[in-house]
Amino acid sequence: MKFAVLDFETTGSQTTDRIIQVGLVIIVDDTITDRYTSLVNPGVSIPSSIISLTGIDDEMVKDAPELDTVMARMVPLLQDCVLVGHAIAFDLSFLQRALDEHGYFAFDGKVLDTIDALRVLFPSLSSFQLSMVCNSFGIEHERPHQADSDAEVTALLWIRCLQRFQELSLLTLQRLSMVFDEATTDFGWFVREMIMFKEMFAGEEEPAGQNYRQFTLAVKDWGEEDSVREEKDLLTLPDDFAVFFAQLKQALKERFTAYEDREAQEIMLAEVEAAFEQERHLMIEAGTGTGKSLGYLIPSLFYGLKHDKKMLVSTHTINLQEQIRERDIPLLMDLFPVGFRAAVFKGRSHYLCLRKFETKMGQQDFEHGKEDRLTAGQMLVWLSETEHGDDEELHFSGKGAQFWHSVASDSDSCLNRACPWFKKCFYHRARNNASNADLVITNHSMLFTDTKAESRLLPSYKHLVIDEAHHFEEVASKHLGIEVVYGAFVGTLWWLYKDSRNGQLPILSSRLSRADGEKGLAWSQILDAMLPVLLQIKEEWDELTDLLFQLVSTRSDPSQQTEGGQLVYRLKKDDKPPSWDKLLVLEENMYLKLTEILKKLDKVLNEVKDQQEVLDVQGLVTDISGSVKELYRLRDNLHFFMALTDDNYVYWLEAGTSKSKSIQLISVPVDVSPMLQEHFFEAKDSVIMTSATLSVGKSFDYTCEQLGLNTNEPEAKLKTVQLQSPFNYRQQALVAIPRDFPSIRSNSGDKHFLDNLSQSLAEVALETKGRMLVLFTSNRMLKLTHAALKEKLSPFGIGVLGQGVDSSNRSKLTRLFQNSPSSVLLGTSSFWEGVDIPGDALTCLAIVRLPFQPPNHPLVEAKMENLKKLNLNPFMKLSVPQAVIRFKQGFGRLVRTAKDKGIVIIYDTRVIDSTYGKYFLYSLPGPKIEHMPTNQLVGRIKQWMGESEV
């Protein structure tokens, strides 16, 4: 088969714009056989933005051939070709216009987009930007945004796609062909061609995999795992942990020639093991570079294996979970003298339900057309690769996350052992693995989900390590609270009934009406009678949320908006708005109607269940039962919120600035420490809490108070330890504070402050050649600074990337920043922690404002009210410690390795002018701290960076 891989550079994307460069690569089968490239004289001046993007200017195209000459060379090459391109719609529109203008017939061959192919064939690709994809495949992309270079790398990518197509099983290709109809899509036609090619070589060995119910899977049945050790192996473990670690350290030294002893890590290892042996709790702050993952994993595994105890590790982020799975566990499996099992266990919605996916494929249920088909194709290929069935392995585009939601595992619609997929089920596989594992790695959210489920999800455990423990109380509040979101309510109603033919109830009604006997018809009629009532409930929910949105949009304080720009309005039992009684009537009507209809549905479903196998509606009945349970939950949560009766909870509304459909009803316990005591610190033998940021001003009092822990009792079960980072911060980091910098009158920034900020940032960025991360506490301030900074820096070739401006995806922005030789990255909330940019890519970190939480956020406000009742200063007891921990996280972005060196600029002079500023500086791990006039900042930075390397 012959392919023509095409790329154009143009003066813009409008119909009046012109082609300025052509790149064409011809592929026959999977070999490049010809190339054609040319600059094109467009007859118009090239805009400066295009010159900046492509490097092609008027001088370069002045003597180039005009488009008619170029088309005369191109057209013969396109004969009998399948046209291929990266985001081909753009290039195709310019090609068709050029053909028409110069008297040629329109291109009427097949057209394929490498983005579609990459999405389906490589399900884990996290970006489809051409340079990013090339980087993922190790393809050198010399000159991005020049047509010859872009066409060349696109051709190489297409050859990779052809090879991947050929590697797929015939069954997977046949499944893909069912998803992509060859009569309506060129991609479907090409899948069919690949099937014909595969069938020609049907006798050849098929890829390894398990074919089951017409799907190719990468996994066998769970429960068939081999043993990893014999009982006698455990006898080889020394009794003394110090002896064991000495042996392990020797193995590490043999494995890594650059291995160095880390005093802080060895203290941590000993402290964690001692806490397990003595059945104590331990709070241990371990600075960056300590190696805290191994600091708790090694003693956890040693203690667990020695005493036959299940050990649990919980992280805040899925990223850290994956890091432990991919990096630390394989290393320890290699080094440990005895075999062990480790399992990652996440929340159920992270796992694919194979039964739901099979049903969706069988019914060709693709609500969002091409988007859903691409996601389904992506998942079919992924099934032939994945061992975990975990959504973190997939990268979703467009509506992909919605598609996943419709096929994710959930407890309410699970058939358990009655499911034909039970022994392949990814969730039950993960649960089985966790049950059999010596070490289980989970996350804080899952811990609290298990707590709410009365400990029925996680395997029984008495020893727990909480990493990223500074988030533990916050996650507890969120998960032990109650939230009702507009879309969740509507989505559940829509699952049941979309229209007369779509939805679980119409499908069940249709099947029952076709069944033999009067019973089926009677059931069908009962179900049909429910549909108008469901519509009424949906209309009443719309009316209620419209009124709630009016309430939040008219009564919210503009200064109370969240970082994401959400409107916020707190509701108080003793100070309800005048319209609340009307809202209560609406909610009461909904409650009664839902109760009545759910009871009727329960009755019908229980009757149908007796004959569900005969009627072949078992899966459908289970799914409807799940929707019914979800509606019961939503009904009760809404009722709880509207009643406003529990004094231990704070209630508030959140919404976007323009849509009632964005409404969220949130109720959260003000103080979760009694629950943490009951379920963790009193119930477990030993809980280890660790993070790089647990102390404030060298004291753990704040974190202990948040968790309800008491360090003052003589026989306290808790021990606290603070470990210094092994990095030499005095040599590696300079904290510079421009002492004459203007103060700021509002969180969103006034003009005088912003003008000075953008000017200073620009001057510093020119000195550091970009390589700067700027941390904000306000989206609005970020966007205003982004525009001003871009204008100042673009003439010097320094790019500016802004969170929520260039992308909202943190990983994508970080990659773009690291891959750009000179750029400035502006970030808000999520960039204050968890971002790792080691080496020369980051030289300067700027903190614009101290990261105080808005004092009038409902939860913060409620906590402050409680502190005032106790005659305590809420600013010093809550606001300052919270901000200090966040500040320390932000500071930690700069120095990530022993070789990093850089500057932290603090533009908030409160850090030296206020009485509480000392808590921020005193909490830092010993960097050099200097303050100076703003006009001396650049000179000091130049001097610091010019000093001898670390």
Side-chain angles (χ1 to χ4, degrees), residues 268-335:
M268 181 173 183
L269 287 155
E271 290 286 0
V272 171
E273 200 272 337
F276 288 141
E277 285 288 354
Q278 296 162 16
E279 295 194 347
R280 295 167 69 97
H281 303 319
L282 174 67
M283 186 175 290
I284 184 161
E285 183 175 82
T288 308
T290 304
K292 67 177 184 300
S293 298
L294 292 181
Y296 58 70
L297 287 171
I298 291 169
S300 295
L301 280 165
F302 175 81
Y303 179 83
L305 291 169
K306 199 78 189 157
H307 297 278
D308 192 23
K309 301 286 186 185
K310 179 84 67 181
M311 309 303 284
L312 213 77
V313 170
S314 177
T315 70
H316 174 52
T317 56
I318 299 284
N319 278 351
L320 183 53
Q321 247 183 312
E322 291 302 317
Q323 183 179 301
I324 293 170
R325 188 213 304 256
E326 300 296 328
R327 187 191 69 184
D328 299 322
I329 294 300
L331 172 66
L332 292 175
M333 282 181 167
D334 277 355
L335 296 177

Coordinates of all heavy atoms in Angstrom, one line a residue, residues 268-335:
M268 N 16.0 7.3 59.8 CA 14.5 7.0 59.5 C 14.2 5.5 59.5 O 13.2 5.1 60.1 CB 14.2 7.6 58.2 CG 12.7 7.5 57.8 SD 12.2 8.4 56.3 CE 10.5 8.0 56.3
L269 N 15.1 4.7 58.9 CA 14.9 3.3 58.9 C 14.8 2.7 60.3 O 13.9 2.0 60.6 CB 16.1 2.6 58.2 CG 16.2 2.8 56.6 CD1 17.7 2.7 56.2 CD2 15.4 1.8 56.0
A270 N 15.7 3.2 61.1 CA 15.8 2.7 62.5 C 14.5 3.1 63.3 O 13.9 2.4 64.1 CB 17.0 3.1 63.2
E271 N 14.1 4.4 63.1 CA 13.0 4.9 63.9 C 11.7 4.2 63.4 O 10.8 3.9 64.3 CB 12.8 6.4 63.6 CG 13.9 7.3 64.2 CD 13.8 7.4 65.8 OE1 12.8 6.8 66.3 OE2 14.6 8.1 66.4
V272 N 11.5 4.0 62.2 CA 10.3 3.3 61.7 C 10.2 1.9 62.2 O 9.2 1.4 62.7 CB 10.3 3.3 60.1 CG1 9.1 2.5 59.6 CG2 10.1 4.8 59.6
E273 N 11.3 1.2 62.1 CA 11.4 -0.2 62.6 C 11.1 -0.3 64.1 O 10.3 -1.1 64.6 CB 12.7 -0.9 62.2 CG 12.7 -2.4 62.2 CD 13.0 -3.0 63.6 OE1 13.6 -2.3 64.4 OE2 12.5 -4.2 63.8
A274 N 11.7 0.7 64.8 CA 11.5 0.7 66.3 C 10.0 1.0 66.6 O 9.5 0.4 67.6 CB 12.4 1.8 66.9
A275 N 9.4 1.9 65.9 CA 8.0 2.2 66.1 C 7.1 1.0 65.9 O 6.2 0.7 66.7 CB 7.5 3.3 65.2
F276 N 7.4 0.2 64.9 CA 6.6 -1.1 64.7 C 6.8 -2.0 65.8 O 5.9 -2.6 66.4 CB 7.1 -1.7 63.4 CG 6.6 -1.0 62.1 CD1 7.4 -0.9 61.0 CD2 5.3 -0.5 62.0 CE1 7.0 -0.3 59.9 CE2 4.9 0.2 60.9 CZ 5.7 0.3 59.8
E277 N 8.1 -2.2 66.2 CA 8.4 -3.2 67.3 C 7.8 -2.8 68.6 O 7.3 -3.6 69.4 CB 9.9 -3.3 67.5 CG 10.6 -4.1 66.4 CD 10.4 -5.6 66.5 OE1 9.8 -6.0 67.4 OE2 10.8 -6.3 65.5
Q278 N 7.8 -1.5 68.9 CA 7.3 -1.0 70.2 C 5.8 -0.6 70.1 O 5.2 -0.1 71.1 CB 8.1 0.3 70.6 CG 9.5 0.0 70.9 CD 10.4 1.2 70.9 OE1 9.9 2.4 71.0 NE2 11.7 1.1 70.7
E279 N 5.2 -0.8 69.0 CA 3.7 -0.5 68.8 C 3.4 0.9 69.2 O 2.5 1.2 70.0 CB 2.8 -1.5 69.5 CG 3.0 -2.9 69.0 CD 1.9 -3.9 69.5 OE1 1.1 -3.5 70.4 OE2 1.7 -5.0 68.9
R280 N 4.2 1.8 68.6 CA 4.0 3.3 68.8 C 3.7 3.9 67.5 O 3.9 3.3 66.4 CB 5.3 3.9 69.3 CG 5.8 3.4 70.7 CD 7.2 3.8 71.0 NE 7.3 5.3 71.2 CZ 7.3 5.9 72.4 NH1 7.2 5.2 73.5 NH2 7.4 7.2 72.5
H281 N 3.2 5.1 67.6 CA 3.0 6.0 66.4 C 4.2 6.8 66.2 O 4.8 7.2 67.2 CB 1.7 6.8 66.5 CG 0.5 6.0 66.8 ND1 0.2 4.9 66.1 CD2 -0.6 6.3 67.6 CE1 -1.0 4.4 66.5 NE2 -1.5 5.2 67.4
L282 N 4.5 7.2 65.0 CA 5.7 8.0 64.7 C 5.3 9.1 63.7 O 4.7 8.8 62.6 CB 6.8 7.1 64.1 CG 8.1 7.8 63.6 CD1 8.8 8.4 64.8 CD2 9.0 6.8 62.9
M283 N 5.7 10.3 64.0 CA 5.6 11.4 63.0 C 7.0 11.8 62.7 O 7.7 12.3 63.5 CB 4.8 12.6 63.6 CG 4.5 13.7 62.6 SD 3.4 15.0 63.3 CE 1.8 14.1 63.4
I284 N 7.4 11.7 61.4 CA 8.8 11.9 61.0 C 8.8 12.8 59.8 O 8.3 12.4 58.7 CB 9.5 10.5 60.9 CG1 11.0 10.8 60.6 CG2 8.9 9.7 59.8 CD1 11.9 9.5 60.8
E285 N 9.4 13.9 60.0 CA 9.6 14.9 58.8 C 11.0 14.6 58.2 O 12.0 14.6 58.9 CB 9.6 16.3 59.3 CG 9.7 17.3 58.1 CD 9.5 18.7 58.6 OE1 10.5 19.3 59.1 OE2 8.4 19.3 58.5
A286 N 10.9 14.2 56.9 CA 12.1 13.9 56.2 C 12.3 14.8 55.0 O 11.5 14.8 54.1 CB 12.1 12.4 55.7
G287 N 13.3 15.6 55.0 CA 13.5 16.6 54.0 C 13.8 16.0 52.6 O 14.1 14.8 52.5
T288 N 13.7 16.8 51.6 CA 14.0 16.4 50.2 C 15.4 15.7 50.1 O 16.3 16.3 50.7 CB 14.0 17.6 49.2 OG1 12.7 18.3 49.4 CG2 14.0 17.1 47.8
G289 N 15.5 14.6 49.5 CA 16.8 13.9 49.3 C 17.1 12.9 50.3 O 18.1 12.2 50.3
T290 N 16.2 12.8 51.3 CA 16.4 11.8 52.4 C 16.2 10.3 51.8 O 16.9 9.4 52.3 CB 15.3 12.0 53.5 OG1 15.5 13.3 54.0 CG2 15.6 11.0 54.6
G291 N 15.3 10.2 50.8 CA 15.0 8.9 50.3 C 14.0 8.2 51.2 O 14.2 7.1 51.7
K292 N 12.9 9.0 51.5 CA 12.0 8.5 52.5 C 11.2 7.3 52.1 O 10.7 6.5 52.9 CB 11.1 9.6 53.0 CG 10.1 10.2 52.1 CD 9.3 11.3 52.8 CE 8.2 11.8 51.9 NZ 8.6 12.5 50.7
S293 N 11.0 7.1 50.8 CA 10.2 5.9 50.3 C 10.9 4.6 50.8 O 10.3 3.8 51.4 CB 10.0 5.9 48.8 OG 9.3 7.0 48.4
L294 N 12.2 4.5 50.5 CA 12.9 3.3 51.0 C 13.1 3.4 52.5 O 13.1 2.3 53.2 CB 14.3 3.3 50.3 CG 14.3 3.0 48.8 CD1 15.8 3.0 48.3 CD2 13.6 1.7 48.5
G295 N 13.1 4.6 53.1 CA 13.2 4.8 54.5 C 12.1 4.1 55.3 O 12.2 3.7 56.5
Y296 N 10.9 4.0 54.7 CA 9.8 3.3 55.4 C 9.5 1.9 54.7 O 9.0 1.0 55.4 CB 8.5 4.1 55.5 CG 7.9 4.6 54.2 CD1 7.3 3.8 53.3 CD2 7.9 6.0 53.9 CE1 6.7 4.3 52.1 CE2 7.3 6.5 52.7 CZ 6.7 5.6 51.8 OH 6.2 6.1 50.7
L297 N 9.8 1.8 53.4 CA 9.5 0.5 52.8 C 10.3 -0.6 53.3 O 9.8 -1.8 53.6 CB 9.6 0.6 51.3 CG 8.6 1.4 50.5 CD1 9.0 1.6 49.1 CD2 7.2 0.7 50.6
I298 N 11.6 -0.4 53.5 CA 12.5 -1.5 54.0 C 12.1 -2.0 55.4 O 11.9 -3.2 55.6 CB 14.0 -1.0 53.9 CG1 14.4 -0.8 52.4 CG2 14.9 -2.0 54.6 CD1 15.7 -0.1 52.2
P299 N 12.0 -1.1 56.4 CA 11.6 -1.6 57.7 C 10.2 -2.2 57.7 O 9.9 -3.1 58.4 CB 11.7 -0.4 58.6 CG 11.7 0.8 57.7 CD 12.3 0.4 56.4
S300 N 9.3 -1.6 56.9 CA 7.9 -2.2 56.8 C 8.0 -3.6 56.3 O 7.3 -4.5 56.9 CB 7.0 -1.3 55.9 OG 6.9 0.0 56.4
L301 N 8.7 -3.9 55.2 CA 8.8 -5.2 54.7 C 9.5 -6.2 55.7 O 9.0 -7.3 55.9 CB 9.5 -5.2 53.4 CG 8.7 -4.8 52.2 CD1 9.6 -4.4 51.0 CD2 7.7 -5.8 51.8
F302 N 10.6 -5.7 56.3 CA 11.3 -6.5 57.3 C 10.4 -6.9 58.4 O 10.3 -8.1 58.8 CB 12.5 -5.8 57.8 CG 13.3 -6.5 58.9 CD1 14.2 -7.5 58.6 CD2 13.0 -6.2 60.2 CE1 14.8 -8.2 59.6 CE2 13.7 -6.9 61.2 CZ 14.6 -7.9 60.9
Y303 N 9.7 -5.9 59.0 CA 8.9 -6.2 60.2 C 7.7 -7.1 59.8 O 7.4 -8.1 60.5 CB 8.3 -4.9 60.8 CG 7.4 -5.1 61.9 CD1 7.9 -5.3 63.2 CD2 6.0 -5.1 61.8 CE1 7.1 -5.5 64.3 CE2 5.2 -5.4 62.9 CZ 5.7 -5.6 64.1 OH 4.9 -5.8 65.2
G304 N 7.1 -6.8 58.6 CA 5.9 -7.6 58.2 C 6.2 -9.0 57.9 O 5.5 -9.9 58.3
L305 N 7.4 -9.3 57.2 CA 7.8 -10.6 56.9 C 8.2 -11.4 58.2 O 7.9 -12.5 58.4 CB 9.0 -10.6 55.9 CG 8.6 -10.1 54.5 CD1 9.9 -9.9 53.7 CD2 7.7 -11.1 53.8
K306 N 8.9 -10.7 59.0 CA 9.4 -11.3 60.3 C 8.2 -11.7 61.2 O 8.3 -12.8 61.8 CB 10.3 -10.3 61.0 CG 11.2 -10.9 62.0 CD 12.4 -11.6 61.3 CE 13.2 -12.4 62.3 NZ 14.0 -13.5 61.7
H307 N 7.2 -10.9 61.2 CA 6.1 -11.1 62.2 C 4.8 -11.6 61.5 O 3.8 -11.6 62.2 CB 5.9 -9.9 63.0 CG 7.1 -9.4 63.9 ND1 7.3 -10.0 65.1 CD2 8.0 -8.5 63.6 CE1 8.4 -9.4 65.6 NE2 8.9 -8.6 64.7
D308 N 4.9 -11.8 60.2 CA 3.7 -12.3 59.5 C 2.5 -11.3 59.7 O 1.4 -11.6 60.0 CB 3.2 -13.7 59.9 CG 2.2 -14.2 59.0 OD1 2.2 -13.8 57.8 OD2 1.4 -15.1 59.4
K309 N 2.9 -10.0 59.4 CA 1.9 -8.9 59.5 C 1.6 -8.2 58.2 O 2.6 -8.1 57.4 CB 2.3 -7.8 60.5 CG 2.6 -8.3 61.9 CD 1.4 -8.6 62.7 CE 1.7 -9.0 64.2 NZ 0.5 -9.4 64.9
K310 N 0.4 -7.9 57.9 CA 0.1 -7.1 56.7 C 0.5 -5.7 56.9 O 0.1 -5.1 57.9 CB -1.4 -7.2 56.4 CG -1.9 -6.4 55.2 CD -1.7 -7.2 53.9 CE -2.7 -8.4 53.9 NZ -2.5 -9.2 52.7
M311 N 1.3 -5.2 56.0 CA 1.8 -3.8 56.1 C 1.1 -2.9 55.0 O 1.0 -3.3 53.8 CB 3.3 -3.7 55.9 CG 4.0 -4.7 56.8 SD 3.7 -4.5 58.6 CE 4.7 -3.0 58.9
L312 N 0.6 -1.8 55.4 CA -0.1 -0.9 54.5 C 0.6 0.4 54.4 O 1.0 1.0 55.4 CB -1.6 -0.6 55.0 CG -2.6 -0.5 53.9 CD1 -3.0 -1.9 53.4 CD2 -3.9 0.2 54.5
V313 N 0.8 0.9 53.1 CA 1.4 2.2 52.8 C 0.3 3.0 52.1 O -0.3 2.6 51.1 CB 2.6 2.1 52.0 CG1 3.1 3.5 51.5 CG2 3.8 1.4 52.8
S314 N 0.1 4.2 52.6 CA -0.9 5.1 51.9 C -0.2 6.4 51.5 O 0.5 7.0 52.2 CB -2.1 5.4 52.9 OG -3.0 6.3 52.3
T315 N -0.5 6.8 50.2 CA 0.0 8.1 49.7 C -1.2 9.0 49.4 O -2.3 8.6 49.3 CB 0.8 7.8 48.4 OG1 -0.1 7.5 47.3 CG2 1.8 6.7 48.5
H316 N -0.8 10.3 49.2 CA -1.9 11.2 48.8 C -2.2 11.2 47.3 O -3.3 11.2 46.9 CB -1.5 12.7 49.2 CG -2.4 13.7 48.7 ND1 -3.8 13.7 49.0 CD2 -2.2 14.8 48.0 CE1 -4.4 14.7 48.4 NE2 -3.4 15.4 47.8
T317 N -1.1 11.0 46.5 CA -1.3 11.1 45.1 C -1.1 9.7 44.5 O -0.3 8.9 44.9 CB -0.2 12.0 44.5 OG1 1.1 11.6 44.8 CG2 -0.4 13.5 44.9
I318 N -1.9 9.5 43.4 CA -1.7 8.3 42.6 C -0.3 8.2 42.0 O 0.3 7.2 41.9 CB -2.8 8.3 41.4 CG1 -4.2 8.3 42.0 CG2 -2.6 7.1 40.5 CD1 -4.7 7.0 42.6
N319 N 0.3 9.4 41.7 CA 1.6 9.5 41.1 C 2.6 8.8 42.0 O 3.5 8.1 41.5 CB 2.1 11.0 40.9 CG 1.5 11.5 39.6 OD1 0.9 10.8 38.8 ND2 1.6 12.8 39.5
L320 N 2.6 9.1 43.3 CA 3.5 8.5 44.2 C 3.3 7.0 44.3 O 4.2 6.2 44.4 CB 3.5 9.2 45.6 CG 4.5 8.7 46.7 CD1 5.9 8.7 46.1 CD2 4.4 9.5 47.9
Q321 N 2.0 6.6 44.3 CA 1.7 5.2 44.3 C 2.4 4.5 43.1 O 3.0 3.4 43.3 CB 0.1 5.0 44.1 CG -0.6 4.4 45.3 CD -2.0 4.2 45.0 OE1 -2.7 5.1 44.5 NE2 -2.5 3.1 45.4
E322 N 2.2 5.1 42.0 CA 2.8 4.5 40.7 C 4.3 4.5 40.8 O 5.0 3.6 40.4 CB 2.4 5.2 39.5 CG 0.9 5.1 39.2 CD 0.5 3.6 38.9 OE1 1.3 2.9 38.3 OE2 -0.5 3.2 39.5
Q323 N 4.9 5.5 41.4 CA 6.4 5.6 41.6 C 6.9 4.5 42.4 O 7.9 3.9 42.1 CB 6.7 7.0 42.2 CG 8.2 7.2 42.3 CD 8.5 8.6 42.9 OE1 8.0 9.6 42.4 NE2 9.1 8.6 44.1
I324 N 6.2 4.2 43.5 CA 6.6 3.1 44.4 C 6.4 1.8 43.7 O 7.3 0.9 43.7 CB 5.7 3.1 45.7 CG1 6.0 4.4 46.5 CG2 5.9 1.9 46.5 CD1 5.1 4.6 47.7
R325 N 5.3 1.6 42.9 CA 5.1 0.4 42.1 C 6.2 0.2 41.1 O 6.8 -0.9 40.9 CB 3.7 0.4 41.5 CG 3.4 -0.9 40.8 CD 2.6 -0.9 39.6 NE 1.3 -0.2 39.6 CZ 0.1 -0.7 39.6 NH1 0.0 -2.0 39.7 NH2 -1.0 0.0 39.6
E326 N 6.5 1.3 40.3 CA 7.4 1.1 39.2 C 8.9 1.2 39.5 O 9.7 0.6 38.8 CB 7.1 2.3 38.2 CG 5.6 2.2 37.6 CD 5.3 1.0 36.8 OE1 6.2 0.5 36.2 OE2 4.2 0.6 36.8
R327 N 9.2 2.0 40.6 CA 10.6 2.2 40.9 C 11.1 1.4 42.1 O 12.1 0.7 42.1 CB 10.9 3.7 41.0 CG 12.3 4.1 41.2 CD 12.5 5.5 41.6 NE 12.0 5.8 43.0 CZ 12.0 7.0 43.5 NH1 12.3 8.0 42.8 NH2 11.6 7.1 44.8
D328 N 10.4 1.6 43.2 CA 11.0 1.1 44.5 C 10.8 -0.4 44.7 O 11.7 -1.1 45.2 CB 10.3 1.9 45.7 CG 10.7 3.4 45.6 OD1 11.8 3.7 45.2 OD2 9.8 4.2 45.9
I329 N 9.5 -0.8 44.4 CA 9.2 -2.2 44.6 C 10.1 -3.2 43.8 O 10.7 -4.1 44.3 CB 7.7 -2.5 44.4 CG1 6.9 -1.8 45.5 CG2 7.4 -4.0 44.5 CD1 7.2 -2.1 46.9
P330 N 10.3 -2.9 42.5 CA 11.2 -3.8 41.7 C 12.6 -3.8 42.3 O 13.2 -4.9 42.3 CB 11.1 -3.2 40.3 CG 9.8 -2.5 40.2 CD 9.6 -2.0 41.6
L331 N 13.1 -2.7 42.7 CA 14.4 -2.6 43.3 C 14.5 -3.5 44.5 O 15.4 -4.3 44.7 CB 14.8 -1.2 43.6 CG 16.1 -1.0 44.4 CD1 17.3 -1.4 43.6 CD2 16.2 0.4 44.9
L332 N 13.5 -3.4 45.4 CA 13.5 -4.2 46.7 C 13.3 -5.7 46.4 O 13.9 -6.5 47.1 CB 12.5 -3.6 47.6 CG 12.8 -2.2 48.2 CD1 11.7 -1.7 49.0 CD2 14.1 -2.2 49.0
M333 N 12.5 -6.0 45.4 CA 12.4 -7.4 45.0 C 13.7 -8.0 44.6 O 14.0 -9.2 44.8 CB 11.3 -7.5 43.9 CG 9.9 -7.4 44.4 SD 8.6 -7.6 43.2 CE 7.2 -7.8 44.2
D334 N 14.5 -7.2 43.9 CA 15.8 -7.7 43.5 C 16.8 -7.9 44.7 O 17.6 -8.8 44.7 CB 16.5 -6.7 42.5 CG 16.0 -6.9 41.1 OD1 15.2 -7.9 40.9 OD2 16.3 -6.1 40.2
L335 N 16.7 -7.0 45.6 CA 17.7 -6.9 46.7 C 17.3 -7.7 47.9 O 18.2 -8.2 48.7 CB 17.9 -5.5 47.1 CG 18.5 -4.5 46.1 CD1 18.6 -3.1 46.6 CD2 19.9 -5.0 45.6

